[in-house]
């Protein structure tokens, strides 16, 4: 989206005259601002406000809601599968491979059947409804085993996604228990599992240690140097010998490039990423560009390293990528991508956070305020900035909504039940 926005701006005249055409092919017709997904899952922001509709912000471009199933760059064509109908073939001159990443799922028994990630707005909505529904299950029964399972929440992965998810959802569930008679905050069990010896490596060892202490102070069991070994039927088995049942398993233990890159016949490294250059071109190919989480782009500020897969780099790469395409069209020299790390920031629930912007260490409320200020400024389009700000402002005066809308997962259930009852009545009457 950011690359297309840049092209739309830089090639305004060419697009108007029909000399250039920009086509975006994506399974979703919107861009997700992923740093806000934990807040959306916790109900601090409306899920609709963390997505940007592509057709609205890219009126000069063609948006195709479809999946790329095959791509031949040498001949300049791609096969796309639309929502309905047969596959279609489209031709192109320049390729931008920016398909992002998907969760890296390990072959752990029960993980695929019981786990959920937090990479999409749909997952954020589902996770919120699911967690609140677990509280409803515990509130509605006296069976201790059922209650214990429902009130146990396991999060695997101690990076940004995992830590922010467990912190935000723990904060939300604690609020929700205020309105319940049989579920108390002491009944909740949150477990964060991390394979490494520290969490939040992006903020540094000291801040990561402080974050772990803060989470433990809130009653969250932070287990480091620990692996998930099994999750069959909700039974969690960890490498430290822990064995218990959990009603919720959230998997945020790393990502891998989108599978579409394998369909493109592009050069890949040993991690499945598209091999890119400092100019954001695909290594050894002409008129092919790449950026973001699916690309291995050299980090010119650190010798021998690649840019980490985060929004800080992806957004800046995308803008330069658009500029370099314009330079290529006009026969100019391409510019290399150089960006020093500005630090990292993470939200840990309402009024809690951790950050190290430009080397400064922030904790608690100041870090939380900086987190909101930074991401409020970075979320694309004025429309979304205003809506997110409105959500935050309303939250200052009104309590958070903690209602489970689990029925949206099966919207036809009541209709089918009514139809079944009618059928039974007719059979009995006969």
């Amino acid at each position: 989206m950011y690359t297309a926005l840049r092209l739309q701006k830089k090639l305004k005249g060419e697009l108007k005259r029909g000399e250039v055409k920009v086509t975006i092919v994506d399974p979703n017709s919107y861009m997700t601002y992923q740093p806000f997904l934990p807040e959306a899952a916790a109900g601090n922001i409306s899920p609709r406000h963390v997505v940007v509709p592509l057709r609205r912000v890219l009126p000069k471009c063609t948006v195709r809601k479809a999946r790329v199933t095959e791509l031949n760059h040498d001949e300049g064509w791609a096969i796309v599968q639309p929502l309905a109908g047969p596959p279609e073939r489209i031709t192109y001159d320049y390729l931008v491979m920016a398909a992002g990443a998907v969760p890296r799922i390990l072959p752990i028994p029960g993980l695929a059947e019981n786990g959920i990630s937090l990479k999409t707005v749909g997952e954020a909505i589902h996770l919120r409804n699911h967690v609140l529904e677990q509280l409803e299950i515990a509130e509605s029964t006296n069976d201790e085993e059922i209650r214990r399972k429902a009130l146990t929440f396991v999060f695997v992965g101690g990076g940004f996604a995992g830590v922010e998810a467990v912190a935000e959802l723990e904060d939300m569930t604690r609020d929700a228990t205020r309105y319940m008679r049989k579920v108390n905050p002491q009944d909740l069990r949150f477990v964060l599992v991390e394979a490494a010896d520290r969490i939040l490596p992006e903020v540094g060892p000291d801040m990561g240690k402080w974050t772990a202490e803060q989470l433990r102070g809130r009653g969250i069991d932070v287990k480091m140097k620990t692996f998930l070994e099994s999750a069959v039927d909700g039974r969690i088995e960890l490498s430290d010998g822990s064995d218990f049942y959990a009603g919720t398993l959230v998997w945020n233990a790393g990502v891998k490039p989108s599978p579409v890159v394998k369909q493109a016949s592009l050069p890949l490294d040993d991690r499945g990423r598209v091999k890119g250059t400092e100019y954001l071109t695909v290594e050894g190919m002409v008129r092919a560009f790449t950026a973001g989480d699916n690309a291995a782009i050299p980090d010119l500020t650190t010798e021998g390293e690649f840019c980490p897969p985060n929004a800080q780099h992806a957004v800046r790469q995308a803008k330069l990528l658009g500029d370099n395409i314009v330079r290529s069209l006009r026969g100019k020299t391409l510019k290399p991508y150089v960006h020093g790390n500005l630090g990292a920031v993470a939200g840990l629930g309402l009024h809690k956070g951790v950050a190290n912007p430009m080397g400064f260490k922030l904790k608690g409320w100041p870090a939380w305020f900086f987190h909101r200020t930074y991401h409020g400024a970075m979320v694309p389009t004025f429309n979304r900035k205003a809506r997110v700000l409105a959500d935050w402002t309303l939250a200052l005066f009104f309590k958070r909504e903690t209602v489970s809308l689990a029925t949206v997962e099966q919207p036809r259930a009541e209709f089918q039940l009514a139809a079944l009852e009618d059928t039974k009545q007719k059979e009995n009457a006969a």
Side-chain angles (χ1 to χ4, degrees):
M1 187 197 76
Y2 280 101
T3 297
L5 278 171
R6 200 71 167 181
L7 293 174
Q8 188 174 253
K9 178 181 179 181
K10 296 287 186 176
L11 299 174
K12 185 176 181 180
E14 290 87 340
L15 285 166
K16 186 175 182 180
R17 295 190 297 270
E19 299 170 359
V20 170
K21 180 180 180 181
V22 179
T23 301
I24 299 95
V25 180
D26 196 280
N28 298 310
S29 58
Y30 55 82
M31 173 264 193
T32 303
Y33 190 71
Q34 292 191 356
F36 278 157
L37 287 179
E39 286 204 60
N44 298 331
I45 300 175
S46 170
R48 297 190 307 276
H49 299 165
V50 305
V51 297
V52 181
L54 296 180
R55 291 186 178 90
R56 180 182 297 178
V57 299
L58 300 171
K60 305 298 183 183
C61 304
T62 300
V63 177
R64 298 289 304 273
K65 187 172 181 178
R67 292 184 179 275
V68 174
T69 59
E70 187 179 354
L71 188 147
N72 188 319
H73 184 67
D74 292 335
E75 298 181 10
W77 55 262
I79 303 297
V80 302
Q81 177 61 60
L83 290 175
E88 300 177 22
R89 175 169 168 161
I90 60 175
T91 59
Y92 66 87
D93 299 297
Y94 281 80
L95 170 70
V96 176
M97 180 54 70
V102 298
R104 178 171 56 92
I105 309 299
L106 301 180
I108 298 172
L111 175 59
E113 294 79 10
N114 298 290
I116 183 174
S117 183
L118 191 55
K119 287 285 291 178
T120 68
V121 68
E123 289 174 329
I125 295 171
H126 169 78
L127 186 57
R128 170 179 168 77
N129 288 327
H130 171 80
V131 167
L132 291 174
E133 191 70 6
Q134 296 303 299
L135 299 185
E136 296 288 357
I137 290 173
E139 178 76 2
S140 65
T141 182
N142 293 319
D143 188 308
E144 282 304 316
E145 289 188 8
I146 295 176
R147 283 172 50 82
R148 194 178 301 112
K149 178 179 179 180
L151 297 178
T152 301
F153 309 88
V154 177
F155 292 73
V156 182
F160 271 119
V163 170
E164 288 192 316
V166 69
E168 292 284 358
L169 287 166
E170 187 272 342
D171 208 35
M172 179 192 72
T173 54
R174 188 174 293 275
D175 279 351
T177 60
R178 297 177 182 178
Y179 309 102
M180 295 185 169
R181 294 179 179 274
K182 296 166 60 177
V183 179
N184 300 310
Q186 295 77 16
D187 299 328
L188 303 174
R189 182 184 183 188
F190 280 82
V191 182
L192 177 63
V193 180
E194 168 55 40
D197 60 355
R198 60 176 176 166
I199 62 173
L200 284 185
E202 298 88 349
V203 299
D206 293 340
M207 301 292 275
K209 182 179 179 181
W210 179 86
T211 302
E213 293 172 351
Q214 292 297 306
L215 295 179
R216 286 173 175 143
R218 292 162 56 176
I220 299 173
D221 187 2
V222 180
K223 294 177 177 290
M224 302 183 199
K225 298 182 181 179
T226 306
F227 301 88
L228 175 66
E229 295 187 337
S230 178
V232 177
D233 297 328
R235 181 178 176 179
I236 305 299
E237 298 180 22
L238 303 178
S239 60
D240 66 352
S242 301
D243 187 344
F244 53 89
Y245 282 92
T248 304
L249 173 60
V250 184
W251 178 266
N252 285 303
V255 297
K256 64 180 181 181
S258 172
V260 71
V261 301
K262 296 181 180 179
Q263 312 294 332
S265 301
L266 302 175
L268 306 179
D269 67 2
D270 57 354
R271 295 172 57 182
R273 301 173 299 181
V274 179
K275 291 183 179 180
T277 70
E278 64 268 31
Y279 302 102
L280 304 177
T281 57
V282 177
E283 188 177 290
M285 305 190 80
V286 179
R287 293 183 174 181
F289 293 78
T290 189
D293 294 359
N294 70 187
I297 304 298
D299 186 350
L300 299 185
T301 65
T302 307
E303 186 176 354
E305 297 293 329
F306 292 94
C307 296
N310 59 36
Q312 183 180 148
H313 282 286
V315 171
R316 290 168 175 82
Q317 288 173 2
K319 293 178 180 178
L320 179 63
L321 195 160
D323 289 343
N324 277 347
I325 289 179
V326 174
R327 290 189 181 94
S328 176
L329 284 168
R330 296 173 179 171
K332 296 182 180 180
T333 303
L334 306 188
K335 289 187 176 182
Y337 175 73
V338 183
H339 173 67
N341 187 11
L342 297 178
V345 56
L348 304 176
L350 285 177
H351 311 131
K352 299 176 281 289
V354 60
N356 64 346
M358 306 296 291
F360 294 97
K361 296 181 179 181
L362 301 177
K363 304 173 182 177
W365 191 91
W368 171 82
F369 182 78
F370 181 82
H371 172 269
R372 288 204 161 180
T373 302
Y374 174 77
H375 285 299
M378 291 300 295
V379 64
T381 79
F382 177 79
N383 180 301
R384 287 303 180 266
K385 294 181 196 297
R387 292 178 183 274
V388 168
L389 182 59
D391 286 341
W392 287 340
T393 303
L394 289 172
L396 297 174
F397 303 98
F398 301 99
K399 294 181 179 180
R400 173 169 27 199
E401 293 291 346
T402 54
V403 178
S404 170
L405 299 177
T407 53
V408 301
E409 311 284 343
Q410 297 177 320
R412 298 183 68 247
E414 290 295 326
F415 182 86
Q416 291 172 332
L417 180 61
L420 181 62
E421 289 295 328
D422 288 343
T423 302
K424 288 182 178 179
Q425 289 179 5
K426 290 179 181 180
E427 290 177 349
N428 293 335

